[in-house]
């Protein structure tokens, strides 16, 4: 999975993160997770394995299965949203994931 490893957005604004994946993973659930440690990060939003948009609290995720990309949007950003996050794909065994550093601009 490839992604921009660092993204930033303005306070009270929004940001989007593009998470790409290989063909073959289209119908798997995609998720967005917060926390420095992959093992115990907190999943904020997860797709149901379709192209339908899934919404969490100030965060949404949409999987474009034709383009093999899922997009995470974080809205109404606050200072304390700056953290390490992960794009992930749920599968049996260990999930696939990639780290993304989020910073908030003044």
């Amino acid at each position: 999975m490839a992604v921009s490893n660092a993204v930033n957005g303005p306070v009270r604004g929004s940001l989007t993160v593009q998470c790409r994946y290989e063909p073959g993973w289209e119908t798997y659930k995609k998720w967005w997770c917060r926390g420095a440690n992959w093992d115990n990060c907190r999943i904020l939003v997860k797709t149901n394995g379709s192209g339908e948009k899934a919404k969490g609290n100030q965060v949404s995720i949409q999987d474009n299965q034709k383009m093999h990309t899922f997009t995470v949007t974080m809205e109404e950003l606050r200072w304390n949203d700056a953290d390490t996050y992960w794009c992930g794909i749920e599968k049996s065994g260990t999930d696939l994931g990639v780290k993304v550093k989020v910073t908030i601009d003044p």
Side-chain angles (χ1 to χ4, degrees), residues 5-93:
N5 294 111
V7 292
N8 59 303
V11 171
R12 292 191 298 281
S14 65
L15 61 80
T16 58
V17 181
Q18 300 270 343
C19 308
R20 273 185 226 77
Y21 56 90
E22 298 296 318
W25 296 104
E26 292 86 350
T27 58
Y28 288 73
K29 294 177 180 175
K30 317 302 188 305
W31 49 255
W32 178 245
C33 190
R34 178 176 186 170
N37 292 325
W38 161 255
D39 297 340
N40 59 5
C41 67
R42 187 165 53 92
I43 291 181
L44 302 178
V45 65
K46 185 194 284 193
T47 69
N48 64 5
S50 76
E52 240 173 79
K53 186 179 225 178
K55 288 184 80 72
N57 190 15
Q58 296 172 298
V59 61
S60 62
I61 187 171
Q62 182 141 31
D63 189 7
N64 183 332
Q65 296 179 339
K66 284 193 178 72
M67 302 293 289
H68 305 109
T69 304
F70 59 100
T71 303
V72 176
T73 304
M74 294 175 65
E75 295 170 333
E76 293 173 51
L77 296 166
R78 295 184 296 252
W79 281 113
N80 60 359
D81 288 327
D83 207 344
T84 300
Y85 294 80
W86 302 82
C87 287
I89 298 178
E90 187 177 89
K91 67 177 187 63
S92 59

